[in-house]
Amino acid sequence: MSIWFLFNFILLVWAVWNVAAGFSSNTPYLHILLGFTGFLLFLFNWTRNAVFSTIRNIGDRQKKIRLAQFSKRIRPYHRYVGTGALIIILLHGFLVIDHYTFDLSNMKILTGSIAAFNLLCLVLSGWYRLLIDPRLKIRKLHIGLGISMFVLIIIHFIF
């Protein structure tokens, strides 16, 4: 298995812990649920990276075939899940700004704004690659934006 499965699992557990801790100490807010839902959609799409990494690194041909068939079934939904994640995260951001005001000196809002912009670029690069230019250069950009999104989510959770 790929190390990305472990990273994804750790981040998922951390997110569930943060949301549960937030709900135990505060009134459940819609913006928290939207942020968590958007995160789950991103993580669903990002797990494909772990699947592809596993396919490249394992020697068992039957496992490679099973994982490739699984990924092929998920592929048609990948772009719509990513677009849905973007829409939900933008709603999350609007509700946060409505509730707390837009203040870039607040690290949570700053990191969330950077992550939202990165997610916008990630989704646009995915659609661009599908509809206009499927070159390797765009694919590498898309994967790089996905990795940076993963890191930005971690930073957003820290603050």
Side-chain angles (χ1 to χ4, degrees), residues 119-138:
L119 183 59
L120 174 66
C121 293
L122 180 65
V123 170
L124 289 176
S125 71
W127 280 104
Y128 179 79
R129 184 169 175 251
L130 173 75
L131 298 174
I132 298 170
D133 188 6
R135 286 184 295 168
L136 181 63
K137 185 178 182 180
I138 305 301

Side-chain angles (χ1 to χ4, degrees), residues 113-159:
S113 299
I114 294 169
F117 179 73
N118 187 78
L119 183 59
L120 174 66
C121 293
L122 180 65
V123 170
L124 289 176
S125 71
W127 280 104
Y128 179 79
R129 184 169 175 251
L130 173 75
L131 298 174
I132 298 170
D133 188 6
R135 286 184 295 168
L136 181 63
K137 185 178 182 180
I138 305 301
R139 180 175 159 250
K140 286 184 178 183
L141 171 69
H142 190 68
I143 292 171
L145 287 167
I147 292 170
S148 63
M149 188 70 204
F150 188 85
V151 171
L152 286 168
I153 288 171
I154 292 171
I155 294 169
H156 188 64
F157 283 172
I158 289 171
F159 293 105

Side-chain angles (χ1 to χ4, degrees), residues 7-59:
F7 289 159
N8 291 352
F9 180 73
I10 290 170
L11 189 61
L12 176 65
V13 169
W14 190 14
V16 169
W17 183 272
N18 281 342
V19 170
F23 281 165
S24 68
S25 63
N26 298 328
T27 307
Y29 292 113
L30 180 60
H31 67 85
I32 295 172
L33 292 175
L34 285 173
F36 185 66
T37 303
F39 163 74
L40 289 177
L41 290 175
F42 164 76
L43 198 62
F44 174 79
N45 266 358
W46 183 241
T47 301
R48 287 190 70 219
N49 180 55
V51 170
F52 288 135
S53 181
T54 302
I55 289 171
R56 283 189 300 272
N57 294 328
I58 62 172

